[in-house]
Amino acid sequence: MNLFEERTKEIKIVSDLNPVGIFRTDSQGEMTYTNRRWHEITDYPSSQPLTNWLWNVHLDFQKDVLELTTRVLKTGEGGSMEIRWQNERWTKLQVEKIANGLIGTVTDVSDRHLYEAARIAQAQEREALAQLRAADAERQRAEADERRRAQELLVDVTSHELRQPVSAILNCSQIVRTNLSTLVDALRKSGAIPFVATEALLKQMEEDLDALDSIYQCGLSQERIANDVLSLSRLQLDTLSIHAVDFQLVPELKRIISIFANELKMKKINLEIKVGRSVTVCNINRVSSDRTRFAQILTNLMSNAIKFTDLAPVQNRRIVVCLDVSPDPPQANKCIAPSLQANVGDLAERVKDSGTLIYVYVTVRDAGPGLKPGDLALIFQRFQQGSNSHDAFGGSGLGLFVSRKLCELMGGNIDVYSVYGQGATFRFCLKMKTAREPAPKVTPPPSPPAVKAKPAFAAPPSQTVYHVLITEDNIINQTVLNRQLKQAGFTTELASNGKEALEKVKRLAF
C-alpha cells in the first residue's frame, strides 16, 4: 500500500470516528461522500445511493436546505442553519464552498431542542395557570363588556355585511337596464322590419340572465344575514318560538338546496344529495316541524360549504348532502344517525302512526380547506369564525351560532367533524313528528303558454381597443366589470388576486 492510500485510509477512519456528520458534494450539489456519523444522524441507509438524501430532510426544511446549498455554490460564501430530519432529529447544518463543490457538517442539537421545548412547555404551563387565576377575577367585568360590545358589533357587522352585495346588485341591474333600453330603442326604430335573433344578441341576453342570477344570489345573501340578525335579536329577547307545519321532508330539502343551483354552477361545484335507506325503510314522506327554521339551518350550512369549496381546485369541488331518519336519538352527543336494525320491519312498525317522534339527521360535507383544531371550539359561538373564513371572506360570524340555537330549540343539536386540509362535515339532527298525507287536490287545467317576443339587436363594435387587466376577488363584480369594459370596446384579462395579476403583468402587455 502506497503512502497516498495509507493517508486516505487514515482520513476515512478519522472521519468515521468523528462525532459530527460530514458530507461532500460536487459542483452541481450532488452528494459524493458521507461519513458514518452522517448516516447515524440522518437515518439514511448507507447501502442506498446518495442521490435521494434530501428526502430524509423534514418536508418543512427541504426547500430551505436546497436554497442554502445553491446559494453557497453560487456566491462562495458559507452558511449555516438548524434543520429537522424525518426522524425528528434536529441538527445544525454548516456548509462551505471548496474548489470543486461543497463540504459540510451536521451536528446533532436534538437535546438542546428538547430542553428548550420542555422549558417553553413549563413556561406555558405557568402562564396558563396564572391566566386561569386571573380569568376568574376578570369574568364579571368581561361579561358586562361583552354585552355592550355585542350590541355595537351587531350593528357594525350587520351594516357591513348587508352593504357588501349592494355594489354587485347596482352594477348588474344597471348593465341589464342599459342593454334593455338599447334593445327597446332599436326595436322602436325598426318599424315593421322583422328581426332575426343574432348570436351577439343571444349571448348578450344570456349574460343578462347571469346578471339577474347574480342579483338574486346577492339578495339571498342579504336575506340570510337579515334572518340571522332577526333570529339573534329574538333569541336575546327570548321571544323566538317554533311553529310546526306539515311538509314533505325530501322535496323540501331538495327545494332548499335548489336555491343555490346558479351559484353552484357559476363556481363549478358538483352537488350530490344522498337520501339514506332509512327514509325508505321508515316510509317517511311528510313530517311536522318548523319548516322555516329547518330551511334557515340548512341554508346557512350550504352557504358556508359553497364558500369554502370554492377555494378548492376545480376538479375537487364537491358538496355532499345526506339525509337520514330514525326513531332513536343520537348517541354520545354526536349527530350521527344510528345504524339500521337487522329487522327493518320492526323499525317501520315503530314509526307507522302519525305524530310519532322521529329524529332527522342531515350532514353537509364540503371540499374546502377544513378547520384548524383551535377553530372547532369557537365556530358555534356568537360573532366567532374559523380562521379560514375570517382571512378569506370576513363575514358576520352569526350563521353557525344562530343555527346551533335553532337546533337546540327544535330538540336537536349540531356539530362538526374536520381534519385540517381535508374539508369539513357539518351535521345536525332535529326532533320532528310524522304527519298524515293531505287529501288530494283538484289540479286546474294548465294555462296556455305565453308568446315570447324575439327581438334582435347587435351593438356596434368600438373603434378604439384597449387591453385592460381586471383584478377582483369577487366573481360577481369581476363578471360585471368585464362585461362593462367589453361593451365599451376594451379587451380584458381577468385575475382573481394580486398574485395572478402580477403573473399576467409579467407575461402580457397592458
Side-chain angles (χ1 to χ4, degrees):
M1 183 181 296
N2 57 35
L3 184 61
F4 175 77
E5 291 175 341
E6 291 179 358
R7 293 293 180 265
T8 301
K9 183 178 180 180
E10 291 173 0
I11 292 174
K12 185 178 185 307
I13 293 173
V14 172
S15 174
D16 287 338
L17 294 176
N18 199 306
V20 174
I22 300 174
F23 66 90
R24 182 174 179 175
T25 76
D26 59 19
S27 58
Q28 302 300 318
E30 297 294 333
M31 195 78 75
T32 59
Y33 168 78
T34 54
N35 70 343
R36 182 186 303 165
R37 182 58 178 158
W38 184 91
H39 288 277
E40 293 173 353
I41 293 174
T42 64
D43 277 349
Y44 192 88
S46 58
S47 60
Q48 297 294 324
L50 295 172
T51 52
N52 296 323
W53 70 273
L54 189 61
W55 291 108
N56 270 41
V57 177
H58 194 278
L59 184 62
D60 294 343
F61 293 89
Q62 289 179 6
K63 181 180 178 182
D64 296 334
V65 171
L66 190 59
E67 289 178 351
L68 174 63
T69 55
T70 303
R71 177 174 58 80
V72 174
L73 281 171
K74 288 183 178 180
T75 65
E77 297 180 0
S80 65
M81 64 184 300
E82 290 193 358
I83 64 171
R84 183 155 55 111
W85 297 79
Q86 296 285 10
N87 59 9
E88 298 301 327
R89 279 189 176 176
W90 284 87
T91 64
K92 181 178 181 181
L93 174 65
Q94 183 79 33
V95 184
E96 296 290 341
K97 181 76 167 61
I98 58 176
N100 55 351
L102 300 174
I103 190 167
T105 62
V106 287
T107 305
D108 194 340
V109 293
S110 299
D111 289 343
R112 176 166 59 80
H113 274 266
L114 289 174
Y115 170 76
E116 290 177 352
R119 183 172 56 83
I120 292 172
Q122 290 178 353
Q124 290 175 339
E125 184 177 353
R126 289 194 298 269
E127 182 181 357
L129 183 59
Q131 291 177 348
L132 187 61
R133 290 171 178 172
D136 188 58
E138 289 289 323
R139 182 172 54 85
Q140 294 295 334
R141 183 187 63 83
E143 289 179 354
D145 289 344
E146 175 64 22
R147 287 191 292 270
R148 176 182 54 82
R149 286 172 44 247
Q151 292 300 117
E152 296 174 352
L153 188 59
L154 177 62
V155 174
D156 180 66
V157 167
T158 304
S159 300
H160 173 73
E161 292 301 311
L162 289 175
R163 187 174 63 246
Q164 192 174 22
V166 168
S167 175
I169 291 175
L170 294 177
N171 287 330
C172 286
S173 58
Q174 181 182 18
I175 195 170
V176 171
R177 188 184 188 284
T178 300
N179 290 340
L180 290 177
S181 297
T182 304
L183 182 58
V184 168
D185 290 342
L187 290 172
R188 286 173 176 169
K189 294 177 181 178
S190 65
I193 302 175
F195 278 85
V196 177
T198 65
E199 287 297 326
L201 172 63
L202 293 175
K203 181 178 179 181
Q204 184 183 79
M205 294 181 72
E206 289 175 357
E207 291 176 346
D208 288 340
L209 289 174
D210 289 339
L212 291 174
D213 289 337
S214 298
I215 293 174
Y216 180 66
Q217 293 299 329
C218 290
L220 288 177
S221 175
Q222 289 185 318
E223 182 185 40
R224 285 194 292 270
I225 297 167
N227 287 338
D228 287 340
V229 171
L230 182 59
S231 297
L232 176 64
S233 176
R234 290 177 176 175
L235 286 168
Q236 291 176 330
L237 296 173
D238 198 22
T239 59
L240 182 62
S241 55
I242 301 300
H243 301 281
V245 297
D246 294 353
F247 61 93
Q248 292 179 291
L249 180 59
V250 175
E252 178 64 13
L253 179 129
K254 293 180 178 180
R255 183 197 67 79
I256 297 167
I257 295 175
S258 69
I259 295 173
F260 299 93
N262 290 324
E263 189 174 2
L264 290 166
K265 180 181 178 182
M266 182 172 58
K267 295 182 177 180
K268 300 180 180 179
I269 297 174
N270 294 319
L271 173 68
E272 182 179 0
I273 300 176
K274 295 182 178 180
V275 178
R277 181 166 168 259
S278 59
V279 178
T280 303
V281 168
C282 296
N283 194 27
I284 300 299
N285 183 20
R286 297 183 68 83
V287 294
S288 177
S289 183
D290 193 318
R291 181 177 184 174
T292 301
R293 301 307 176 190
F294 174 66
Q296 188 174 353
I297 297 168
L298 183 55
T299 297
N300 277 332
L301 297 188
M302 277 296 299
S303 177
N304 285 343
I306 292 172
K307 182 166 57 176
F308 291 112
T309 300
D310 190 37
L311 298 175
V314 174
Q315 66 273 16
N316 297 335
R317 293 179 185 174
R318 185 168 179 260
I319 294 174
V320 180
V321 180
C322 301
L323 172 68
D324 280 289
V325 297
S326 174
D328 299 316
Q331 302 297 318
N333 293 324
K334 292 184 179 180
C335 300
I336 301 176
S339 300
L340 286 177
Q341 300 173 0
N343 189 348
V344 295
D346 291 343
L347 192 64
E349 183 69 19
R350 292 171 60 187
V351 297
K352 69 176 184 178
D353 295 330
S354 176
T356 302
L357 176 65
I358 61 171
Y359 292 84
V360 174
Y361 299 84
V362 180
T363 65
V364 179
R365 184 171 74 245
D366 65 52
L371 293 166
K372 297 179 180 179
D375 295 334
L376 295 175
L378 297 176
I379 56 173
F380 291 111
Q381 297 181 18
R382 182 173 53 181
F383 301 122
Q384 296 292 333
Q385 299 171 287
S387 52
N388 292 323
S389 180
H390 185 271
D391 295 341
F393 304 104
S396 64
L398 284 179
L400 291 177
F401 171 77
V402 170
S403 296
R404 176 173 69 87
K405 290 295 186 180
L406 291 177
C407 286
E408 292 171 355
L409 285 172
M410 298 173 72
N413 198 6
I414 186 171
D415 62 22
V416 60
Y417 172 79
S418 177
V419 176
Y420 186 60
Q422 299 180 21
T425 300
F426 284 86
R427 310 174 296 210
F428 70 94
C429 66
L430 302 174
K431 285 183 179 180
M432 296 188 184
K433 292 183 178 180
T434 58
R436 291 188 178 92
E437 294 294 326
K441 296 181 179 180
V442 179
T443 304
S447 303
V451 179
K452 296 183 178 180
K454 297 183 178 180
F457 173 76
S462 174
Q463 300 300 317
T464 306
V465 178
Y466 297 94
H467 199 45
V468 179
L469 174 62
I470 301 173
T471 305
E472 171 59 61
D473 60 354
N474 185 294
I475 190 170
I476 295 176
N477 292 338
Q478 184 188 87
T479 302
V480 172
L481 183 56
N482 187 37
R483 287 190 62 193
Q484 290 173 328
L485 289 175
K486 283 186 175 181
Q487 288 188 356
F490 298 94
T491 60
T492 60
E493 286 287 338
L494 305 179
S496 298
N497 51 57
K499 181 180 178 181
E500 289 184 12
L502 290 175
E503 290 175 352
K504 292 195 174 184
V505 167
K506 292 177 181 178
R507 291 189 292 104
L508 305 171
F510 294 95

